[in-house]
């Protein structure tokens, strides 16, 4: 294998994701997994699950992860990168602990993890690291030899993530009626999180209002808006907005909500809106329901033309970006100098999450970071 495609010391890649139900009977058990420890009654979970029941009780996320697995394996094979790819979920089969057990049985000892979340936050990074620590603790209790696990850096500003989203916005704009296209507003959307979690996202030095979570999304939004202007000659106004809030009403979460934003833009005389879900790797339930169903219905009530741009999904450019991130991290582990690839003002993210990065509400061990008990 040429040095340029040398993944050593790593011997496997683990795709780590959220998981989702794959049939009506799965919905409530899946939501029980998601909300474990919160004491939410089953009847309430059935109400929450109505979003899934509208789509036959099937979340699209597992099928999209299978498509991404296929894209990664094809890209690796086409470029001579001999690295097996596994898949494990936080909340549904294939479960993370089962997948790690399989990897250990297959002799995998140095594992790189790709999480299906591009940005810094507790739920998008630290919680996955806690899940990894829980899984390793389970394997340790079984007397199994533990692998060393590292996590790929945040890839929010990698060209292979940004460029497919830019193309998606351009296609959405082109699909608008010609008479409203030039005046269209772009609403870049991401998952709302509690403001307290946003303010402490990223390394300690990034903590403050919005933290790294907001800063990173704003950087990506600016990159896409600039690229759209360069390719169309039109400077579309834009704003970062939020969706999918799920917390108690008295707890502050990031705002404005996409539906409120559509009302405000309509009142301001905006002729059309493109909703660009830059906070999501694929078109999973929050995109299909909160944007394609709820927000689109709100726009229909207002008489406001809207289009929703595509997420990255299994785009070959994203698969290529993952390959580049693997080779970059492998070179770092071998002590070789590398120039990480990143667009925008923020530069490449850290390779190892430092102590104090995206802290939890209560102390819990987390793997694949500077504070990992499984170094």
């Amino acid at each position: 294998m040429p040095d340029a495609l040398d993944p050593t010391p790593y011997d496997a890649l683990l795709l780590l994701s959220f998981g989702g139900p794959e049939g009506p009977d799965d919905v409530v058990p899946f939501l029980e997994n998601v909300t474990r420890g919160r004491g939410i009654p089953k009847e309430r979970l059935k109400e929450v699950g109505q979003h899934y029941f509208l789509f036959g009780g099937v979340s699209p996320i597992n099928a999209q992860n299978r498509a991404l697995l296929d894209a990664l394996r094809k890209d690796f094979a086409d470029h001579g990168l001999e690295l097996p790819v596994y898949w494990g979920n936080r909340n549904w089969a294939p479960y993370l602990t089962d997948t790690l057990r399989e990897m250990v049985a297959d002799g995998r000892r140095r594992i790189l993890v790709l999480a299906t979340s591009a940005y810094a936050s507790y739920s998008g990074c630290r919680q996955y690291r806690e899940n990894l620590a829980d899984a390793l603790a389970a394997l340790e209790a079984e007397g199994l030899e533990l692998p060393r696990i590292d996590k790929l850096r945040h890839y929010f500003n990698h060209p292979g993530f940004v460029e497919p989203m830019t193309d998606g916005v351009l296609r959405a704009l082109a699909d608008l009626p010609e008479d409203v296209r030039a005046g269209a507003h772009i609403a870049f959307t991401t998952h709302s999180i509690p403001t307290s979690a946003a303010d402490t996202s990223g390394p300690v030095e990034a903590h403050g209002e919005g933290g790294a979570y907001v800063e990173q999304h704003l950087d990506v939004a600016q990159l896409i808006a600039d690229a759209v202007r360069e390719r169309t000659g039109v400077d579309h106004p834009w704003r970062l907005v939020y969706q999918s809030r799920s917390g108690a009403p008295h707890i502050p979460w990031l705002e404005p909500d996409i539906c409120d934003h559509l009302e405000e833009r309509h009142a301001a005389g905006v002729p059309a809106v493109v909703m660009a879900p830059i906070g999501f790797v694929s078109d999973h339930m929050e995109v299909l329901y909160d944007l394609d169903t709820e927000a689109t219905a709100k726009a229909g009530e207002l008489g406001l033309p809207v289009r929703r741009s595509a997420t990255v999904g299994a785009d070959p450019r994203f698969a290529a970006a993952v390959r580049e991130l693997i080779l970059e991290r492998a070179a770092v582990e071998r002590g070789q100098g590398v120039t990480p690839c990143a667009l925008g003002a923020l530069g490449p993210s850290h390779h190892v999450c430092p102590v104090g990065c995206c802290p939890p509400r209560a102390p819990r061990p987390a793997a694949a970071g500077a504070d990992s008990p499984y170094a």
Side-chain angles (χ1 to χ4, degrees):
M1 182 185 298
D3 288 345
L5 294 179
D6 183 4
T8 57
Y10 298 106
D11 55 20
L13 177 71
L14 169 62
L15 176 65
L16 178 56
S17 194
F18 192 81
E22 300 201 75
D25 292 342
D26 296 342
V27 172
V28 171
F30 162 74
L31 292 173
E32 287 175 332
N33 288 342
V34 173
T35 61
R36 185 181 293 113
R38 301 183 201 173
I40 299 177
K42 182 170 289 189
E43 291 306 312
R44 173 58 181 152
L45 294 180
K46 289 179 181 178
E47 293 176 16
V48 174
Q50 291 306 312
H51 295 181
Y52 292 95
F53 292 127
L54 287 173
F55 296 89
V58 179
S59 168
I61 192 170
N62 281 350
Q64 290 162 2
N65 280 328
R66 293 185 185 102
L68 179 55
L69 287 168
D70 289 344
L72 291 171
R73 289 165 178 155
K74 182 180 187 304
D75 179 90
F76 293 2
D78 288 349
H79 292 85
L81 177 59
E82 297 180 4
L83 195 70
V85 186
Y86 296 75
W87 170 34
N89 287 326
R90 172 187 293 169
N91 296 303
W92 202 249
Y95 289 103
L96 171 59
T97 301
D98 295 335
T99 300
L100 279 183
R101 189 181 294 112
E102 175 189 357
M103 297 177 81
V104 169
D106 289 347
R108 311 305 175 192
R109 296 294 178 264
R110 288 295 302 272
I111 298 170
L112 261 178
V113 172
L114 167 67
T116 54
S117 176
Y119 301 86
S121 70
Y122 171 74
S123 58
C125 183
R126 170 82 192 197
Q127 192 172 8
Y128 281 119
R129 293 178 49 225
E130 292 175 355
N131 299 147
L132 287 165
D134 291 343
L136 289 171
L139 299 189
E140 187 175 40
E142 297 171 12
L144 298 177
E145 181 178 353
L146 299 186
R148 174 173 166 178
I149 296 179
D150 294 323
K151 180 178 175 292
L152 288 172
R153 66 177 173 89
H154 301 302
Y155 47 84
F156 63 93
N157 56 2
H158 194 286
F161 188 68
V162 174
E163 290 169 3
M165 291 190 295
T166 299
D167 288 347
V169 171
L170 289 165
R171 288 193 298 270
L173 284 166
D175 193 48
L176 283 168
E178 188 173 357
D179 60 333
V180 299
R181 189 179 305 149
H185 171 87
I186 305 174
F188 293 104
T189 78
T190 190
H191 207 301
S192 184
I193 61 175
T195 57
S196 58
D199 294 347
T200 56
S201 57
V204 172
E205 59 269 22
H207 293 180
E209 186 175 357
Y213 186 74
V214 172
E215 182 181 44
Q216 291 170 359
H217 281 87
L218 287 172
D219 197 44
V220 172
Q222 187 67 66
L223 282 166
I224 295 173
D226 289 347
V228 168
R229 183 184 65 251
E230 291 169 5
R231 291 170 61 176
T232 66
V234 179
D235 191 6
H236 290 274
W238 62 269
R239 183 168 181 182
L240 177 64
V241 302
Y242 303 92
Q243 60 173 91
S244 312
R245 175 186 171 134
S246 59
H250 68 281
I251 297 176
W253 282 52
L254 293 173
E255 296 178 336
D257 175 78
I258 178 62
C259 289
D260 295 338
H261 183 64
L262 292 175
E263 289 185 339
E264 187 272 333
R265 288 292 78 203
H266 177 257
V270 166
V273 173
V274 166
M275 300 180 293
I278 61 172
F280 304 88
V281 172
S282 63
D283 290 2
H284 52 71
M285 188 55 70
E286 279 88 347
V287 176
L288 291 189
Y289 182 79
D290 296 335
L291 294 184
D292 293 355
T293 304
E294 191 173 49
T296 299
K298 171 59 69 175
E301 293 172 9
L302 298 169
L304 177 66
V306 294
R307 297 293 186 273
R308 197 265 292 172
S309 66
T311 53
V312 172
D315 190 289
R317 289 169 291 183
F318 182 46
V322 174
R323 169 171 40 86
E324 292 172 8
L325 290 166
I326 290 167
L327 297 173
E328 172 194 300
R329 181 60 184 273
V332 168
E333 291 297 305
R334 295 195 301 267
Q336 298 174 343
V338 294
T339 301
C341 186
L343 301 174
L346 299 181
S349 184
H350 47 261
H351 287 293
V352 179
C353 291
V355 175
C357 193
C358 303
R361 289 187 295 271
R364 286 188 60 193
D371 55 353
S372 171
Y374 299 101

